[in-house]
């Protein structure tokens, strides 16, 4: 029996060892044989009308509810799970943005601008699953943790003057939501590196290999976002499941010699590009820990409509050449790789045309055959991206350092008809607009001065504003919050909201180092029905002259130095000793040769040589100086006369 048990024991150890290796390599497995932790990576490429290229990286990691996920992970970042458990975070989003999304040129209705376009600087909001009296303390601890995790100044949001608590206008609407922004926060590689460390393969394999720092940060727009959602466990004693989304949106300008050498008639031709020319790298295979790894190339509705119009004018073909057998090589453009699948959007209310999406699977590529997608344009193409119903802008009015006004302008983009249906001219057709605005405490807003203008005509506030929530600011305690729900007719062309404010005074310790630059008012948020951000306002406040203390200290120290120096010199000076010192010094300066000659003549004559007398020597010295001055002046006079004659 002992001989039979030993092989069984060895076989059991071998099977157990292989099973553990399988779990370590591919993640934990539940009773049904499904993977517990999953990771996906995607890249979307989209040409823009203004000769630029949109690159959108999307990474998703998920960890389902488990009793062990709180301590042991195979794919999911442990730092995020600890953050969720310790601070009871139900949902959170953190973004680092450099530049501002151009809604007019790059579109405002697509999912990317509506959910991934963020305001400049840092934006953080979080929903907590905790009692109301603990939320502020959890928020402060969360900001410090994120500040250390991403090497940023997020801890500045811990102050009650830097964050707010929206009630219902900011999505997701919740009474346990905290929202804060840092418009002046700079974005650099120190923020991107910790963000990449949350990926299973970091930037060593897969699509993340393209994240070249110089290529990313020389773009026109750069926004890295982290969004996590905590799902309920369903039972006690289990850690909640977490879904982590990491997105990086970059707008780049491709370098194309073909575009630069184009003729005047081809000034609208789009620049050709490839992944290697944009990022300087190629994709040498997928991340081995990723479930799927895909690259998408998108042609939006406006571009597809223009391409079809060009084909009909040239009478190339009556069929849709974008989905024909040679769709990667048609009269308008050429793709360097053959797509694996093609997706065509169904017709909607917004447009009769449909966008086309090409999908490329990265699994079949490797180091021997890397993936390098390229797009080569053949004909000039001009189109427009799909716009949101309203385009929002914000600006300041007034002058001086005492008072002013904030104006929010909403202009129609002639797209409200598609959102509301064909009866947009009906008087009963209405367009709902949500506005969310946070104002610092030193900008004292008078909410009773709110005015509404529709199509340049003043309207009653009660006729336009359906719902309003105002939280006045408190000096050095909390900012002011304004939440509005506007009801506008679908045929509206423009609407303007104005509100007056006074500028407050700060203590000298509250001024930043660059106070003369001005103070920022965070971006306002407008949703109708897609969400967009306005510009960041720069408000000049009354600022003291910080150089005056330095000037006063410098002048005071100089005066005291001159006074005490002169006084000390006068007190320590002795006139008799100075005269005696000068006489001795003059006697020593007498010529030694005449003295020796006088001594020699005195010995020859047998007479005693008397000591030198200082006054005659000094007088002779003075006479010699006078003679030299006279000679010098005479020489100058002669030279002057000779030069002008």
């Amino acid at each position: 029996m002992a001989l039979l048990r030993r092989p069984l024991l060895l076989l059991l150890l071998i099977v157990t060892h292989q099973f553990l290796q399988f779990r370590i390599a591919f993640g934990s497995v539940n009773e049904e044989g499904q993977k517990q932790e999953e990771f996906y990576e995607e890249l979307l490429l989209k040409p823009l009308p203004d000769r630029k290229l949109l690159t959108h990286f999307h990474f998703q990691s998920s960890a389902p509810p488990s009793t062990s996920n709180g301590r042991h992970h195979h794919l999911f970042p442990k730092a995020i799970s600890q953050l969720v458990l310790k601070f009871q975070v139900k949902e959170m989003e953190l973004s680092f943005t450099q530049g501002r999304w151009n809604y007019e040129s790059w579109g405002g209705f697509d999912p990317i601008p509506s959910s991934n376009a963020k305001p400049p600087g840092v934006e953080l909001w979080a929903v907590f699953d905790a009692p109301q009296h603990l939320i502020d303390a959890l928020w402060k601890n969360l900001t410090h943790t994120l500040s250390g995790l991403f090497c940023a100044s997020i801890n500045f949001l811990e102050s009650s003057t830097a964050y707010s608590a929206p009630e219902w206008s900011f999505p997701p609407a919740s009474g346990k939501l905290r929202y804060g922004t840092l418009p002046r926060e700079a974005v650099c590689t120190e923020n991107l590196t910790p963000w990449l460390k949350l990926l299973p393969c970091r930037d060593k394999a897969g699509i993340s290999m393209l994240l070249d720092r110089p290529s990313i940060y020389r773009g026109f727009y750069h926004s890295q976002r982290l969004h996590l959602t905590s799902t309920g466990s369903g039972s006690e004693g289990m850690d909640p499941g977490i879904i982590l989304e990491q997105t990086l949106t970059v707008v780049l300008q491709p370098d194309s010699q073909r575009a630069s050498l184009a003729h005047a008639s081809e000034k609208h031709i789009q620049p050709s590009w490839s992944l290697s020319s944009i990022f300087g790298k190629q994709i040498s295979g997928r991340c081995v820990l990723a479930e799927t790894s895909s690259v998408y190339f998108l042609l939006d509705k406006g571009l597809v409509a223009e391409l079809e119009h060009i084909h009909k004018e040239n009478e190339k073909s009556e069929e849709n050449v974008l989905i024909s057998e040679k769709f990667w090589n048609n009269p308008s453009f050429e793709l360097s790789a053959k797509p694996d699948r093609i997706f065509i959007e169904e017709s909607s209310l917004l447009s009769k045309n449909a966008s086309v999406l090409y999908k490329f699977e990265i699994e079949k590529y490797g180091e021997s055959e890397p993936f390098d997608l390229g797009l080569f344009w053949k004909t000039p193409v001009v189109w427009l991206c799909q716009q949101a119903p309203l385009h929002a802008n914000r600006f300041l009015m007034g002058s001086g350092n005492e008072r002013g006004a904030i104006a929010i302008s909403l202009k129609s983009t002639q797209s409200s008809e598609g959102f509301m249906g064909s009866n947009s001219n009906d008087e009963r057709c209405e367009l709902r607009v949500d506005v969310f605005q946070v104002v610092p405490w030193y900008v004292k807003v008078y909410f009773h001065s709110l005015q509404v203008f529709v199509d340049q005509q003043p309207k009653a506030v009660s006729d336009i504003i359906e719902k309003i929530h105002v939280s006045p600011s408190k000096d050095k305690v909390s900012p002011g919050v304004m939440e509005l729900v506007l009801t506008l007719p679908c045929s509206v062309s423009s609407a303007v909201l104005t509100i007056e404010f006074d500028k407050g005074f700060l203590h000298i310790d509250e001024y930043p180092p660059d106070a003369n630059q001005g103070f920022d008012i965070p971006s306002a948020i407008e949703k109708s029905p897609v969400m967009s951000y306005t510009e960041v306002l720069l408000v000049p406040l009354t600022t003291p002259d910080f150089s005056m203390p330095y000037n006063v200290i410098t002048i005071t120290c100089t005066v005291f130095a001159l006074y005490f120096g002169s006084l000390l010199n006068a007190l320590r000076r002795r006139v008799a000793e100075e005269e005696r010192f000068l006489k001795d010094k003059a006697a020593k300066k007498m010529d030694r040769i005449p003295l020796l000659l006088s001594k020699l003549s005195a010995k020859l004559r047998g007479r005693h040589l008397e000591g030198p007398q200082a006054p005659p020597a000094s007088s002779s010295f003075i006479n010699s100086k006078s003679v030299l001055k006279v000679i010098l002046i005479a020489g100058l006079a002669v030279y002057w006369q000779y030069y002008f004659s």
Side-chain angles (χ1 to χ4, degrees), residues 344-544:
I344 302 176
E345 184 184 6
E346 296 181 356
S347 60
S348 60
L349 296 175
L350 296 176
S351 175
K352 297 180 181 180
N353 300 308
S355 59
V356 180
L357 184 67
Y358 303 107
K359 181 179 180 181
F360 303 87
E361 300 289 348
I362 307 299
E363 286 81 359
K364 61 183 182 181
Y365 296 93
E367 295 183 357
S368 60
E369 185 184 357
F371 178 75
D372 186 14
L373 178 63
L375 174 65
F376 305 95
W377 292 96
K378 301 178 181 179
T379 58
V381 181
V382 179
W383 77 97
L384 296 176
C385 288
Q386 191 173 2
Q387 302 292 324
L390 297 175
H391 182 68
N393 290 103
R394 191 180 58 166
F395 51 88
L396 290 175
M397 298 189 303
S399 60
N401 293 329
E402 185 178 358
R403 58 179 58 91
I406 300 176
I408 300 177
S409 174
L410 304 174
K411 293 183 179 180
S412 176
T413 58
Q414 305 300 327
S415 300
S416 59
E417 180 178 356
F419 287 97
M420 298 302 165
S422 59
N423 59 345
S424 60
N425 295 326
D426 191 358
E427 296 180 356
R428 294 174 297 177
C429 179
E430 295 179 346
L431 181 62
R432 177 189 172 100
V433 182
D434 296 346
V435 178
F436 173 70
Q437 173 69 76
V438 179
V439 181
W441 66 267
Y442 44 79
V443 178
K444 305 180 185 300
V445 177
Y446 297 105
F447 294 101
H448 71 278
S449 63
L450 179 64
Q451 295 181 355
V452 182
F453 299 87
V454 177
D455 294 335
Q456 300 181 357
Q457 298 296 328
K459 298 291 183 180
V461 176
S462 58
D463 296 339
I464 303 299
I465 298 180
E466 177 183 347
K467 190 177 180 181
I468 183 172
H469 173 262
V470 172
S471 177
S473 62
K474 298 180 181 179
D475 290 351
K476 305 179 183 180
V477 175
S478 62
V481 180
M482 182 177 64
E483 303 174 77
L484 301 174
V485 175
L486 307 179
T487 303
L488 302 174
C490 294
S491 59
V492 65
S493 60
S494 65
V496 179
L497 303 176
T498 62
I499 189 169
E500 299 178 359
F501 65 87
D502 283 349
K503 301 178 182 180
F505 293 92
L506 301 178
H507 191 268
I508 190 171
D509 297 335
E510 297 172 345
Y511 285 96
D514 53 349
N516 292 319
Q517 180 181 353
F519 296 81
D520 297 309
I521 297 181
S523 300
I525 302 176
E526 178 263 337
K527 185 178 180 183
S528 60
V530 294
M531 189 168 64
S532 61
Y533 292 84
T534 64
E535 302 87 349
V536 176
L537 295 181
L538 191 64
V539 180
L541 297 183
T542 303
T543 305

Side-chain angles (χ1 to χ4, degrees), residues 122-242:
V122 171
E123 183 191 45
L124 173 64
W125 61 264
V127 180
F128 298 92
D129 188 11
Q132 194 71 30
H133 65 279
L134 297 177
I135 292 180
D136 291 334
L138 292 174
W139 167 266
K140 294 180 180 180
N141 294 331
L142 177 63
T143 57
H144 281 270
T145 303
L146 294 175
S147 179
L149 185 61
F150 291 99
C151 300
S153 303
I154 308 176
N155 58 314
F156 287 171
L157 294 175
E158 69 165 351
S159 175
S160 60
T161 60
Y163 68 89
S164 60
E167 293 293 335
W168 40 263
S169 62
F170 183 83
S174 173
K176 299 181 179 180
L177 173 67
R178 295 296 181 268
Y179 174 84
T181 59
L182 295 173
R184 202 173 295 187
E185 180 71 14
V187 183
C188 60
T189 56
E190 293 181 355
N191 311 125
L192 181 61
T193 301
W195 186 85
L196 291 173
K197 289 183 178 180
L198 300 178
L199 301 176
C201 296
R202 299 191 178 183
D203 57 346
K204 305 301 181 183
I207 295 178
S208 58
M209 293 180 60
L210 299 176
L211 298 179
D212 180 58
R213 273 64 165 185
S215 301
I216 292 175
Y217 287 98
R218 69 165 174 257
F220 291 85
Y221 176 83
H222 162 265
S223 179
Q224 64 182 60
R225 185 177 69 100
L226 182 144
H227 182 273
L228 62 89
T229 305
S230 175
T231 59
S233 60
S235 61
E236 297 182 358
M238 296 185 66
D239 297 334
I242 307 173

Side-chain angles (χ1 to χ4, degrees), residues 48-52 253-274 277 375-381:
L48 298 175
D50 57 349
R51 305 173 58 84
K52 296 181 179 60
Q253 176 66 62
D255 297 329
S256 176
Q257 296 181 356
R258 179 180 176 183
S260 62
L261 298 177
H263 297 85
S265 61
E266 299 180 353
K267 61 181 180 179
H268 296 297
I269 193 169
Q270 294 290 322
S272 302
W273 53 265
S274 63
S277 64
L375 174 65
F376 305 95
W377 292 96
K378 301 178 181 179
T379 58
V381 181

